[in-house]
Structure formats: structure tokens, C-alpha cells
């Protein structure tokens, strides 16, 4: 039997589960690193033993040299595909797949898939609605733009980052100056330096997350969730609750009809995509997009609710393109098998985590499906300001809506010092 091989670039975050999925199809995985160092937020999750080979560039290499380094290392190998495992791997995966003649999104719009300002420009050029914006490293430029546009409130964020890091709602000039001061000159969670900020109009509407998988330009929406946030003092807002929608609901079709041309505008024609979209009185508009798997998700809980998940469908798309396409075309809109809630815990306290005394009670909730991303023992619980400081996520899955609502209320009633065993920082 012919040996099957693939490459995953930066198989961190949710991408770290792909090697196991590809192994089910008899596909060996090479892990290619876009940087010599793993970003700190992913270091504790990386397991070198699950890869058949790891290719790591030298710390002194430039971006262009890293591409050539990997091309030389992969030269002469029979590879079926190359895929990004997380946000930091998107551009290198585009370059390698294009240069090696494998299924690819190409490099023409690679930067627009990572840089939020270029993303909006690409949408506008293609006639797809986008958010009005300004890019600068100077707070006064942003303030002047805000005045000219007569916005009462704007959003300021890094050009490229992940996990809602350093997203600020700004209603005053002081808010703008504070946000620019925090962002510019700071290395983001993926290790890149923030040299500019992105200022955007604030869209007031209902927010959704939409996952999709594309194959040769044909896009299939795999799931849609509502995305409810709560305001956080000193930041913008953080996700509190996501609720799975049924595939037949009208808003799912509306979001799909918007996302497909948006992906086409960005030339995302192969592989997974994760989008955040707001629907206001004008219709849908893209807030953020990643040409990769959704991060921080429970494959187990989503499979319970859907019969599949973003990881398994992505693996199927690459391992068995014909079977995947035939199935997805016959399937039509996805089917929700059970109602599901993705509950993000929110901390208003800090301390060192010594254990999880409340986890047994959470697991006994009738609709409990899974718990993920809990702050590890020995590390600090901090007040929640973004996804990275969310102390844990709990999935509830049930077809009994009364049960689901009661479990959600009971979960929300738990204090963080009931869920986590905390000691004062500095005392272990």
C-alpha cells in the first residue's frame, strides 16, 4: 500500500487534534513550525510524540528564509496536502502548498487572511460588505478619524492576533489613547509585534460564529452558534455564552449567503474557516475570520450535538475529498441532533489554582457534556478580560430545553472560588 503523508503547519490550539484524525485514514503527519519557538500560550499543549517528524527553523531565519528552509526539507516527498493548524501557520501553509502544487488558497491574499485591515479592503474590493476602519500607530490619527466619521463609539484592536486579545470599546478620546498605548509596541499572544492598531466602527447587532469547510471553491457551512458577550471594565467584552442553531433556521441561510462570497473574496477555497459575523439592520458583516479551525472547542460535545465537528469534517475533506464532497452535497443544511450551550466561565477574582472542588458538581448536571480549557493546577486564575483569561469552558447538551436552562442557571450561580480551589498568589 502506498504511504500517505501530510504536513500541518503550527499544529497548536485545535490543530493539535488533527494528527490523530489523519491517522485514522492511515496518513502520517509532519509538523512544520513557522517559528523556532512555540508561542507561550500553546507550549503546554504541544506533544512532539504524536508527529512522525518535526521540522523546526532556526531562530535567526527571516520569514522568506523559513519558507525556503521548509521547501528544501520537504523536497522530493510525496505529500497529499499541507494545512495550517492554527492562526500563526496560515501564511506559511499558503506558501508551501502553493509552491509544491498541492491544494491551496494561494499566496495572493495570504496577508489579508491574517491582517484585519487588509481583510476588510479585500471584502470591499469584491463588493462584500465590510466594516469601516482606520489603521495607525498614533492615537491622534484615530481620534481625528472618529470625529470625522461622527462615531460615538469605536472598536480598537491589533491588526493580527487571536482570542479577542486587546480588543477595546472606546467612547472617549482618553479611551482611544489608552487602547493605542496598550497595543502598539506589545508582542501579541502569537509572538508578533503590534506596530499599529486597527480602529473600526462599532456594529450594533447580534453576533454569530460560523464554521465552514471548503473544497476547490465549494463551501459547506458546518455549524452556526449565537455569540453572547458581557462588557468588561478596562477591556471590551468577553464571550459568555454560545448557543447552537439548527441548520434550517433562516438566519443560518442568511449568514451562509454572506460568508460564501466573503470567503471567495479572500480566495479561501480550500480547507477550514472560522468566522465571526454580526447581523444588524443592514444585514451581516464580517467581524473577524480565520482560514483555519476554530480554536478552543470541544470535539466531543459538538459531535454529540451535530454528529460531527469542525476537526473531523476538515480531516475528511483532505483524506477523502470525493467521499466528503458527495456526502456534503447530499446532506444539504447541517442537522442539529441536540440543543447545545457553550458556557464560558468568567472570573472576577484571582489566585493560584490548587484544584477543582466544583468540577464534580458541574459534571453531575444532567446536561453536562464536556469541560475544557480550565486553568491548570499551579497556575494563576486572573480576572477575565479576553479569551486567554477565560478560566474554563463548559458544554451543556440536551434535547430537554427546561433541563438545559436550569443547568445553565445553576452553573452561572457558582462562584469561581467554588469551582476552583484558590490560594493567594505567592502562596503554594
Amino acid at each position: 500500500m502506498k504511504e500517505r503523508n501530510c504536513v500541518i503547519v503550527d499544529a497548536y490550539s485545535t490543530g493539535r487534534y488533527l494528527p490523530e484524525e489523519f491517522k485514522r485514514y492511515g496518513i502520517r503527519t509532519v509538523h512544520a513550525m513557522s517559528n523556532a519557538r512555540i508561542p507561550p500560550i500553546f507550549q503546554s499543549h504541544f506533544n512532539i510524540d504524536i508527529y512522525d517528524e518535526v521540522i523546526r527553523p532556526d531562530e535567526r531565519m527571516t520569514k522568506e528564509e523559513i519558507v525556503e528552509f521548509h521547501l528544501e526539507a520537504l523536497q522530493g516527498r510525496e505529500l497529499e496536502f499541507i494545512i495550517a493548524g492554527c492562526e500563526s501557520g496560515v501564511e506559511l501553509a499558503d506558501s508551501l502548498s502553493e509552491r509544491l502544487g498541492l491544494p491551496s488558497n494561494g499566496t495572493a491574499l495570504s496577508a489579508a487572511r491574517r491582517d484585519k485591515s487588509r481583510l476588510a479592503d479585500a471584502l470591499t474590493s469584491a463588493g462584500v460588505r465590510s466594516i469601516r476602519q482606520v489603521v495607525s500607530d498614533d492615537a491622534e490619527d484615530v481620534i481625528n478619524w472618529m470625529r470625522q466619521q461622527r462615531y460615538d463609539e469605536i472598536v480598537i484592536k491589533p491588526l493580527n492576533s487571536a482570542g479577542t486579545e486587546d480588543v477595546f470599546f472606546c467612547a472617549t478620546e482618553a479611551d482611544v489613547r489608552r487602547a493605542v498605548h496598550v497595543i502598539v509596541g506589545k508582542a501579541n499572544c502569537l509572538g508578533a509585534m503590534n506596530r499599529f492598531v486597527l480602529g473600526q466602527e462599532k456594529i450594533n447587532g447580534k453576533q454569530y460564529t460560523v464554521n465552514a469547510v471548503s473544497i476547490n471553491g465549494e463551501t459547506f457551512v458546518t455549524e452556526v452558534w449565537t455569540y453572547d458577550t458581557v462588557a468588561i471594565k478596562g477591556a471590551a467584552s468577553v464571550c459568555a455564552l454560545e448557543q447552537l442553531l439548527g441548520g434550517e433556521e433562516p438566519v443560518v441561510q442568511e449568514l451562509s449567503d454572506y460568508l460564501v462570497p466573503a470567503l471567495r473574496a479572500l480566495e479561501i477555497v480550500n480547507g477550514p474557516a472560522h468566522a465571526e459575523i454580526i447581523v444588524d439592520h443592514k444585514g451581516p458583516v464580517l467581524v473577524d475570520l480565520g482560514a483555519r479551525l476554530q480554536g478552543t472547542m470541544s470535539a466531543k460535545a459538538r459531535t454529540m450535538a451535530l454528529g460531527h465537528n469542525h476537526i473531523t469534517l476538515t480531516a475528511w475533506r483532505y483524506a477523502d475529498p470525493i467521499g466528503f464532497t458527495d456526502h456534503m452535497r447530499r446532506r444539504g443544511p447541517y442537522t442539529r441532533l441536540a440543543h447545545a450551550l457553550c458556557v464560558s466561565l468568567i472570573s472576577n477574582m484571582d489566585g493560584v489554582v490548587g484544584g477543582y472542588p466544583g468540577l464534580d458538581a458541574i459534571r453531575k448536571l444532567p446536561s453536562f457534556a464536556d469541560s475544557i480549557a480550565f486553568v491548570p493546577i499551579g497556575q494563576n486564575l486572573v480576572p477575565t478580560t479576553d479569551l486567554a483569561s477565560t478560566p474554563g469552558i463548559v458544554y451543556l447538551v440536551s434535547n430537554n430545553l427546561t433541563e438545559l436552562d436550569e443547568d445553565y442557571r445553576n452553573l452561572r450561580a457558582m462562584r469561581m472560588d467554588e469551582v476552583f480551589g484558590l490560594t493567594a498568589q505567592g502562596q503554594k
Side-chain angles (χ1 to χ4, degrees):
M1 181 181 291
K2 181 181 176 182
E3 187 177 90
R4 305 183 68 185
N5 297 281
C6 75
V7 175
I8 306 176
V9 181
D10 291 355
Y12 315 131
S13 187
T14 307
R16 72 185 187 273
Y17 300 114
L18 283 172
E20 181 181 353
E21 292 299 323
F22 289 138
K23 189 176 182 180
R24 299 179 196 277
Y25 294 94
I27 300 175
R28 293 161 49 89
T29 301
V30 173
H31 182 239
M33 297 173 62
S34 68
N35 193 288
R37 298 187 181 186
I38 301 171
I41 59 171
F42 300 132
Q43 286 176 358
S44 62
H45 301 144
F46 185 69
N47 178 9
I48 195 171
D49 296 330
I50 66 175
Y51 305 98
D52 294 283
E53 183 181 356
V54 174
I55 304 176
R56 183 194 302 261
D58 189 273
E59 288 188 14
R60 295 163 294 183
M61 289 181 178
T62 65
K63 184 177 177 180
E64 291 74 20
E65 289 172 336
I66 289 173
V67 173
E68 297 302 323
F69 168 79
H70 283 294
L71 286 171
E72 184 176 347
L74 297 172
Q75 187 176 12
R77 305 193 193 200
E78 291 191 17
L79 300 171
E80 292 190 20
F81 54 88
I82 296 174
I83 183 173
C86 74
E87 190 70 21
S88 62
V90 168
E91 291 181 277
L92 180 56
D94 289 343
S95 295
L96 297 178
S97 57
E98 182 179 68
R99 293 276 293 273
L100 293 173
L102 299 172
S104 180
N105 291 321
T107 57
L109 290 175
S110 219
R113 300 175 199 130
R114 290 283 292 114
D115 184 312
K116 295 176 176 63
S117 68
R118 296 188 185 188
L119 182 150
D121 290 341
L123 294 179
T124 301
S125 296
V128 179
R129 184 187 176 196
S130 63
I131 298 178
R132 294 177 183 175
Q133 62 182 27
V134 65
V135 176
S136 181
D137 59 357
D138 188 335
E140 301 311 310
D141 288 344
V142 180
I143 290 169
N144 289 335
W145 174 80
M146 183 178 177
R147 287 175 185 157
Q148 291 167 3
Q149 299 296 326
R150 298 182 179 179
Y151 292 138
D152 294 327
E153 189 172 24
I154 62 172
V155 182
I156 294 181
K157 61 180 74 170
L159 287 178
N160 50 42
S161 187
T164 68
E165 180 187 27
D166 289 334
V167 176
F168 297 92
F169 291 164
C170 300
T172 68
E173 294 182 8
D175 291 341
V176 172
R177 292 188 181 97
R178 183 164 49 249
V180 173
H181 177 75
V182 169
I183 295 171
V184 174
K186 175 183 177 181
N188 66 31
C189 62
L190 298 177
M193 181 63 66
N194 295 325
R195 304 193 183 282
F196 300 92
V197 300
L198 177 67
Q200 294 181 322
E201 63 174 317
K202 184 175 182 292
I203 305 296
N204 296 307
K206 183 68 176 176
Q207 188 163 339
Y208 302 86
T209 62
V210 186
N211 289 338
V213 179
S214 297
I215 180 165
N216 300 325
E218 189 171 2
T219 295
F220 302 97
V221 169
T222 62
E223 61 194 292
V224 177
W225 298 68
T226 62
Y227 188 92
D228 296 325
T229 62
V230 294
I232 295 292
K233 185 177 181 180
S237 61
V238 297
C239 181
L241 176 67
E242 296 172 77
Q243 184 170 354
L244 178 64
L245 298 180
E248 75 291 342
E249 297 188 37
V251 71
V252 172
Q253 187 61 55
E254 182 181 16
L255 291 163
S256 300
D257 290 344
Y258 173 83
L259 181 61
V260 170
L263 292 179
R264 192 179 303 124
L266 292 159
E267 298 183 5
I268 299 175
V269 296
N270 282 299
H274 170 65
E276 296 175 15
I277 301 172
I278 293 179
V279 178
D280 66 1
H281 65 285
K282 295 181 181 178
V285 64
L286 194 65
V287 177
D288 205 355
L289 180 72
R292 39 79 178 170
L293 292 166
Q294 178 177 354
T296 318
M297 53 169 272
S298 166
K300 173 187 173 184
R302 291 178 184 236
T303 300
M304 290 170 62
L306 289 160
H308 62 74
N309 65 71
H310 207 203
I311 306 166
T312 57
L313 289 178
T314 296
W316 190 8
R317 176 258 174 268
Y318 281 98
D320 178 16
I322 295 174
F324 170 83
T325 305
D326 288 347
H327 170 82
M328 297 300 279
R329 286 174 176 171
R330 290 195 310 269
R331 182 203 71 171
Y334 70 85
T335 299
R336 181 181 60 193
L337 304 179
H339 292 275
L341 302 179
C342 174
V343 185
S344 295
L345 303 181
I346 298 173
S347 172
N348 60 354
M349 56 185 66
D350 51 30
V352 177
V353 175
Y356 312 108
L359 198 50
D360 283 344
I362 292 174
R363 287 172 174 159
K364 289 177 182 177
L365 295 172
S367 64
F368 172 81
D370 200 6
S371 57
I372 63 171
F374 271 50
V375 179
I377 291 175
Q379 293 192 16
N380 292 332
L381 177 82
V382 297
T384 305
T385 58
D386 54 19
L387 180 61
S389 54
T390 299
I393 296 172
V394 176
Y395 279 83
L396 305 175
V397 178
S398 176
N399 270 319
N400 185 328
L401 291 176
T402 301
E403 175 183 87
L404 202 63
D405 182 65
E406 183 176 350
D407 287 353
Y408 174 70
R409 293 178 185 276
N410 287 334
L411 179 60
R412 275 287 178 237
M414 297 182 71
R415 301 191 314 271
M416 287 303 98
D417 56 358
E418 294 175 326
V419 177
F420 299 91
L422 299 175
T423 58
Q425 293 187 18
Q427 299 177 12
K428 295 186 180 181

